[in-house]
Amino acid sequence: MITLLLLLAACLLTCMGQVSQKFAVESWRDLPQGWALKLRSPWLWSALVCLGLGLLVWLLVLQRLEVGIAYPMLSLNFVLVTLVARFVFHEPIDGRHWLGVALVIGGVVLLGRHV
């Protein structure tokens, strides 16, 4: 049970890091050229913290699961990021993409039966 919670935490932290990256670059659009102001972005720092914590949790997952099982389950990030892209950023998602999401979910369910 703890392994599944750690895996879910790694996925959520990684997803939050990727979403924070998107918010960071969106906030940079109106900034002048150069990195000084961009490095002050709270979204950039949120991304770094989330991705760093996600990495540490991922290492805990790898201690408990075989990489051949754990890594494909990390593909849940594709599902989470797609949902955020659609419902937070209002990006269009076509039918093929949704089919891919369904296949990823199916694969994770099949792999989850071995955990």
Side-chain angles (χ1 to χ4, degrees):
M1 182 63 167
I2 190 75
T3 302
L4 292 176
L5 290 175
L6 287 170
L7 185 59
L8 182 59
C11 286
L12 289 173
L13 284 165
T14 305
C15 178
M16 288 173 24
Q18 292 167 351
V19 170
S20 293
Q21 288 176 39
K22 175 70 171 172
F23 277 124
V25 297
E26 297 255 330
S27 71
W28 294 350
R29 286 193 176 141
D30 298 329
L31 294 178
Q33 293 293 330
W35 284 96
L37 290 176
K38 293 175 182 175
L39 290 175
R40 294 183 190 170
S41 167
W43 288 113
L44 174 64
W45 293 101
S46 171
L48 292 171
V49 168
C50 288
L51 292 171
L53 289 174
L55 170 66
L56 295 176
V57 174
W58 178 244
L59 294 175
L60 294 174
V61 169
L62 290 177
Q63 287 180 329
R64 292 169 168 78
L65 281 179
E66 296 175 16
V67 72
I69 298 294
Y71 191 73
M73 294 183 99
L74 196 60
S75 64
L76 280 176
N77 282 337
F78 294 113
V79 175
L80 296 173
V81 171
T82 297
L83 293 172
V84 169
R86 173 66 183 99
F87 297 109
V88 174
F89 296 109
H90 307 289
E91 296 176 3
I93 309 293
D94 65 17
R96 283 189 315 167
H97 195 117
W98 286 119
L99 176 61
V101 166
L103 291 172
V104 166
I105 292 170
V108 168
V109 168
L110 287 174
L111 287 172
R113 295 174 53 146
H114 290 78
V115 177

